[in-house]
Amino acid sequence: MTGTSTALLTDHYELTMVAAALADGTASRQCVFETFARRLPNGRRYGVVGGTGRVIDAISRFTFGDEELATLSGVLDPATVEWLADYRFSGDVDGYAEGELYFPGSPLFTVRGTFAEAVVLETLVLSILNHDSAIVSAGARMASAANGRPIIEMGGRRTHEEAAVAAARAAYLAGFATTSNLEAGRRYGIPTGGTSAHAFTLLHDSEHAAFTAQVNAVGPDTTLLVDTYDITSGIETAIEVAGTSLGAIRIDSGDVGVLARQARAQLDALGARNTRIVVSGDLDEYAIAALRAEPVDAYGVGTSLVTGSGSPTAGMVYKLVEVDGRPVAKRSSHKESKAGRKAALRRYKPTGTALEEVVYVVGAQVPAGPHDRQLQVPLMRGGQPVDDLPTLEESRQRVREALVSLPWEGLKLSHGEPAISTVNVEK
Amino acid sequence: MTGTSTALLTDHYELTMVAAALADGTASRQCVFETFARRLPNGRRYGVVGGTGRVIDAISRFTFGDEELATLSGVLDPATVEWLADYRFSGDVDGYAEGELYFPGSPLFTVRGTFAEAVVLETLVLSILNHDSAIVSAGARMASAANGRPIIEMGGRRTHEEAAVAAARAAYLAGFATTSNLEAGRRYGIPTGGTSAHAFTLLHDSEHAAFTAQVNAVGPDTTLLVDTYDITSGIETAIEVAGTSLGAIRIDSGDVGVLARQARAQLDALGARNTRIVVSGDLDEYAIAALRAEPVDAYGVGTSLVTGSGSPTAGMVYKLVEVDGRPVAKRSSHKESKAGRKAALRRYKPTGTALEEVVYVVGAQVPAGPHDRQLQVPLMRGGQPVDDLPTLEESRQRVREALVSLPWEGLKLSHGEPAISTVNVEK
């Protein structure tokens, strides 16, 4: 999406607030906005930050061209339109690296700048972080449940066509092996793959003809979908056509655990001991975990991944916490937040297991532990992305390492408390 | 998004199936693919078709340019790449008009063409219809619960940044009054609006200063957010600053029903009898219904709308049902579908209340009722959109009329059976 303006992917009120603040001189006050989640959704034990790289790219493209300005000229006064025409974010951003774990209150994306330049980014920052973090958080639970077996992301058809591309990226970040989404392959270099659909078998005069066509086109190291008619005869036909070097079979319906066992026995009896078994069909992290003891070689996951497995948004908010050095916070009942710019560190045991998250107001006295790690890193300086932003591969590696650092209860799929508790330290 | 190719917003396997079918000569078989939902999600009583207009536009942009072809040349054989270079959909589409109600099995988007030209559209068609229909179906329940009171869509920050634009469109289709999303305003002409955020109040030295700035910038017919500090003094300050002609106040937290009652009494006592009360903050259709007896003038809805209120995808599938005139269907256990090209009609009572959905194989004997309405209409012919596609306003009107046609149990928010049953007629 390089080159496309992201400036209208925002809420009307962000710009009317800028207009009002420009008019009364408060627009240039130095502000700090913090992005955090008040809680983890649905009794989850941890969240995974996703989308940071996409946000930084989107901020670079948050500029108002002629088309955007023409749209706004009916809504805003000329002085505001002129200000927007010159807009480029020039502030600083610190936050959790993409792929880092987060917990309630973790300050995972902190924007510093004038009120006007920072407030206009609210909607865009939240859209990306809320979507991508929801997907990678769900995906990490699935990857963890799969326990090393590869997962293929194939949910694009169950979500918005552009959200699908971001979801494929988030799934890869979470540890999925490949995606079916071609645009995710092009845009992010994620390995793509695919098998075939029931339609391909139905198109042909027989399953034999369909399998022959597929093997002729892409070779015997392919995955044949064997459950269009009868699975047992489907497998027989598959090996007849492709030989015992067939790459894999896929089962997409029915009780896939039982069917995988039967398929494994049949494949072995036919001499196709290296032919893998891929299962798909409404799998989520619980179904994946339940299949651990079955002879499954890979999972195909669609709907549950792209919908965040019951939690399609991460519920993050973007709150003003400091104005010209003065801590501020909403004070009426409910939806309160804590005033003042914060940073965070994570405490670890000598073994490397995470102990607690310490979120502290910058300047507060925090007793140093022997195994602390500061969590915020510079992401943007003077409106520019920092030089050493991690690649998607590096962020993917970070997720893998972070999951290993959790206490064992932290990887439980059941509802419960966060894997580590958050300690808040005020000044 | 006019002009941007949608061709890579698809699954890898769609193109490898084309490659295999081109190689064995089956690619040119005449096929019928039907899009339908096996069930309504979560005990819903009806679904609303959303996204039809977006799909038709996206199909027109499903063409492979140099960039797309370069991406694919590593994956596909040269003959397939050449075929894709010339690809333009040239088939026919019939389906339910956008805004039409649907039920389990309703054939809501039927694509006819060669196997190759129709199969490659699967992922894109499903992405758009699954997303947009999920949102408009949830939104219609909210609009129905609001019972004529306006709803403002403000959920963009809780979903993917492009899904947000489509969600705003779907919300408007469902009967929402306005959206906060500026790009939805530009792209679809939907009225946009907004109030202000807690950050705007916190930015200022006092609530009085913040309200003054907002009223000076946009006039007294604005909406002042009164719950940053103390609601009672917030309302007092609001009227002090804006006068009794203040447009509205917004309450975004706490027990909004109780607070709305107190606010109404206070506003009336201050003489601001025409100042409206807007409530927001985690509202869904159930919360909206529960506020019916309260003096609320408008609702702001975010998260629950853009996440489909618990059902973020409509679960639609795109199934091959006919090849060269021969009915086909998957036959193994689970996820079966019915062979043969289908059409549908809806039966009504003389009063105009819907009675049942009749889904029939084209050519089957269907006894005619006195108040039947055929549901499929032409959407594309020879690859081109038909001339008289409805506008967004017309589709919005269709939703409104359709909801009135449901039996009263059909508008219940509780879980249950579909509002009308589906009768399947085979040949």
Side-chain angles (χ1 to χ4, degrees):
Chain A
M1 305 291 277
T2 316
T4 312
S5 169
T6 57
L8 293 186
L9 300 172
T10 193
D11 287 321
H12 188 111
Y13 81 174
E14 310 290 7
L15 303 189
T16 50
M17 286 193 284
V18 167
L22 285 171
D24 83 343
T26 53
S28 59
R29 293 187 175 182
Q30 288 298 312
C31 288
V32 179
F33 285 87
E34 273 176 10
T35 310
F36 60 93
R38 296 184 202 281
R39 66 194 73 83
L40 298 175
N42 210 12
R44 298 267 180 89
R45 309 308 179 102
Y46 60 87
V48 184
V49 177
T52 317
R54 290 215 307 122
V55 173
I56 292 169
D57 170 63
I59 290 176
S60 307
R61 293 184 285 116
F62 196 89
T63 55
F64 296 78
D66 291 344
E67 199 183 347
E68 289 77 29
L69 294 171
T71 302
L72 296 171
S73 60
V75 179
L76 300 168
D77 62 291
T80 305
V81 172
E82 202 170 305
W83 184 86
L84 293 174
D86 293 335
Y87 180 83
R88 283 202 75 85
F89 176 65
S90 70
D92 295 341
V93 179
D94 293 87
Y96 284 31
E98 188 160 16
E100 189 71 80
L101 303 184
Y102 72 87
F103 299 94
S106 298
L108 45 89
F109 198 87
T110 302
V111 178
R112 282 174 292 155
T114 66
F115 174 76
E117 72 175 338
V119 79
V120 294
L121 299 178
E122 175 179 28
T123 307
L124 184 63
V125 166
L126 288 177
S127 284
I128 296 175
L129 293 179
N130 271 324
H131 176 268
D132 290 16
S133 299
I135 307 301
V136 68
S137 296
R141 285 161 57 87
M142 296 171 193
S144 166
N147 209 10
R149 290 176 178 170
I151 313 181
I152 306 156
E153 189 282 311
M154 40 191 269
R157 64 188 57 190
R158 305 281 179 240
T159 187
H160 182 279
E161 68 276 20
E162 272 292 333
V165 184
R169 179 183 182 278
Y172 188 67
L173 188 60
F176 281 40
T178 55
T179 178
S180 63
N181 191 285
L182 286 173
E183 177 62 14
R186 188 192 70 79
R187 205 179 290 172
Y188 302 118
I190 300 169
T192 66
T195 60
S196 62
H198 295 116
F200 187 74
T201 300
L202 295 172
L203 167 71
H204 285 82
D205 299 330
S206 67
E207 199 170 43
H208 192 281
F211 289 175
T212 303
Q214 186 175 333
V215 169
N216 284 346
V218 292
D221 188 27
T222 186
T223 301
L224 294 173
L225 178 64
V226 295
D227 69 342
T228 303
Y229 303 114
D230 173 80
I231 296 184
T232 305
S233 51
I235 292 174
E236 204 175 298
T237 307
I239 300 302
E240 194 182 312
V241 168
T244 53
S245 62
L246 172 64
I249 61 158
R250 175 160 79 105
I251 304 171
D252 184 49
S253 54
D255 182 342
V256 291
V258 173
L259 295 173
R261 239 175 298 152
Q262 293 173 353
R264 184 72 273 157
Q266 188 184 353
L267 286 169
D268 289 352
L270 291 167
R273 298 192 165 273
N274 295 320
T275 298
R276 284 164 288 122
I277 298 175
V278 181
V279 300
S280 57
D282 295 325
L283 299 181
D284 60 12
E285 61 267 47
Y286 304 102
I288 291 170
L291 288 166
R292 268 193 200 163
E294 305 300 343
V296 169
D297 298 286
Y299 304 96
V301 175
T303 307
S304 67
L305 185 273
V306 299
T307 58
S309 198
S311 302
T313 182
M316 292 171 185
V317 294
Y318 183 89
K319 292 295 168 191
L320 180 61
V321 294
E322 204 173 285
V323 179
D324 283 343
R326 170 177 59 92
V328 299
K330 177 174 184 297
R331 279 206 311 267
S332 76
S333 65
H334 301 87
K335 293 204 207 171
E336 290 170 43
S337 49
K338 295 189 170 60
R341 177 183 165 207
K342 286 155 227 88
L345 58 83
R346 193 166 295 153
R347 297 237 148 101
Y348 293 87
K349 292 188 194 175
T351 55
T353 302
L355 263 178
E356 64 184 12
E357 188 94 338
V358 181
V359 177
Y360 59 95
V361 175
V362 172
Q365 293 291 337
V366 184
H371 304 283
D372 291 352
R373 185 167 65 90
Q374 286 294 329
L375 293 166
Q376 283 202 339
V377 294
L379 297 172
M380 299 185 84
R381 284 293 175 266
Q384 296 301 314
V386 296
D387 285 336
D388 54 349
L389 280 179
T391 63
L392 184 58
E393 288 294 341
E394 287 165 347
S395 300
R396 187 169 186 253
Q397 181 62 25
R398 179 173 291 111
V399 176
R400 196 173 358 223
E401 289 166 5
L403 290 176
V404 175
S405 77
L406 284 176
W408 71 268
E409 308 89 0
L411 291 175
K412 283 166 88 172
L413 297 177
S414 58
H415 294 207
E417 296 298 312
I420 58 174
S421 54
T422 299
V423 177
N424 292 290
V425 182
E426 310 207 1
K427 200 149 67 169
Chain B
M1 305 294 276
T2 318
T4 312
S5 169
T6 57
L8 293 186
L9 300 173
T10 193
D11 287 322
H12 188 110
Y13 81 173
E14 311 289 6
L15 302 190
T16 50
M17 286 192 283
V18 167
L22 284 172
D24 83 343
T26 53
S28 59
R29 294 188 175 182
Q30 288 298 311
C31 289
V32 180
F33 285 87
E34 274 176 9
T35 311
F36 60 93
R38 296 184 201 280
R39 66 195 73 83
L40 299 175
N42 210 11
R44 297 266 178 89
R45 309 308 180 101
Y46 60 88
V48 184
V49 177
T52 317
R54 290 216 305 124
V55 173
I56 293 168
D57 170 62
I59 289 176
S60 308
R61 292 184 285 116
F62 196 91
T63 55
F64 295 79
D66 291 343
E67 199 182 346
E68 289 77 29
L69 295 170
T71 302
L72 296 171
S73 60
V75 178
L76 300 167
D77 62 291
T80 305
V81 172
E82 202 171 305
W83 183 87
L84 292 174
D86 291 335
Y87 180 84
R88 283 201 75 84
F89 177 64
S90 71
D92 295 342
V93 179
D94 293 85
Y96 284 29
E98 188 159 16
E100 190 70 81
L101 302 184
Y102 73 88
F103 299 95
S106 298
L108 45 88
F109 198 87
T110 301
V111 178
R112 282 174 292 155
T114 65
F115 174 77
E117 71 176 339
V119 78
V120 294
L121 299 178
E122 175 179 27
T123 307
L124 184 63
V125 166
L126 288 178
S127 284
I128 296 176
L129 292 178
N130 271 325
H131 176 266
D132 290 16
S133 298
I135 307 300
V136 68
S137 296
R141 286 162 56 88
M142 295 173 193
S144 167
N147 210 11
R149 290 175 178 171
I151 313 181
I152 306 156
E153 188 282 309
M154 42 191 268
R157 63 188 59 189
R158 304 281 177 240
T159 186
H160 182 278
E161 67 277 20
E162 273 292 333
V165 183
R169 180 185 181 278
Y172 188 67
L173 187 61
F176 281 40
T178 55
T179 179
S180 64
N181 191 286
L182 286 172
E183 177 63 13
R186 186 191 71 77
R187 203 178 294 174
Y188 302 117
I190 300 169
T192 65
T195 59
S196 61
H198 295 116
F200 187 74
T201 300
L202 295 172
L203 167 71
H204 285 83
D205 299 331
S206 68
E207 200 170 42
H208 192 282
F211 290 174
T212 303
Q214 187 175 333
V215 170
N216 284 347
V218 291
D221 188 26
T222 187
T223 302
L224 293 173
L225 178 64
V226 295
D227 69 343
T228 303
Y229 303 114
D230 173 80
I231 296 184
T232 306
S233 51
I235 292 174
E236 204 176 296
T237 306
I239 300 302
E240 194 182 309
V241 167
T244 54
S245 62
L246 173 64
I249 60 158
R250 175 161 78 105
I251 303 171
D252 184 49
S253 54
D255 182 342
V256 291
V258 173
L259 295 172
R261 241 176 296 153
Q262 292 173 352
R264 183 72 271 156
Q266 188 185 356
L267 287 168
D268 289 351
L270 291 167
R273 297 191 166 273
N274 295 319
T275 298
R276 285 164 288 119
I277 297 175
V278 182
V279 301
S280 57
D282 294 326
L283 298 181
D284 60 13
E285 62 268 48
Y286 303 102
I288 291 171
L291 288 166
R292 269 193 199 164
E294 306 300 343
V296 169
D297 298 285
Y299 304 96
V301 175
T303 306
S304 67
L305 185 275
V306 300
T307 58
S309 201
S311 302
T313 183
M316 291 170 185
V317 294
Y318 182 89
K319 292 294 168 190
L320 180 62
V321 294
E322 205 174 283
V323 179
D324 282 343
R326 170 176 59 93
V328 299
K330 176 174 184 297
R331 281 205 310 267
S332 76
S333 65
H334 301 87
K335 294 207 209 166
E336 288 170 43
S337 50
K338 296 187 169 61
R341 178 183 164 206
K342 284 153 231 86
L345 59 82
R346 193 167 295 154
R347 298 237 148 100
Y348 293 87
K349 292 186 194 176
T351 55
T353 302
L355 263 176
E356 64 183 15
E357 188 95 338
V358 181
V359 177
Y360 60 94
V361 174
V362 171
Q365 294 289 337
V366 184
H371 304 284
D372 291 352
R373 185 167 64 89
Q374 287 293 330
L375 293 167
Q376 281 202 340
V377 295
L379 298 172
M380 299 185 85
R381 284 292 174 267
Q384 296 299 313
V386 298
D387 284 337
D388 54 349
L389 281 179
T391 63
L392 184 59
E393 287 294 340
E394 287 165 348
S395 300
R396 187 170 188 251
Q397 182 61 26
R398 178 172 293 111
V399 176
R400 197 171 2 222
E401 289 165 5
L403 290 177
V404 175
S405 77
L406 284 176
W408 70 268
E409 308 90 359
L411 291 175
K412 283 167 87 172
L413 296 177
S414 57
H415 294 208
E417 295 300 312
I420 60 175
S421 54
T422 299
V423 177
N424 292 291
V425 182
E426 312 209 359
K427 202 150 63 171

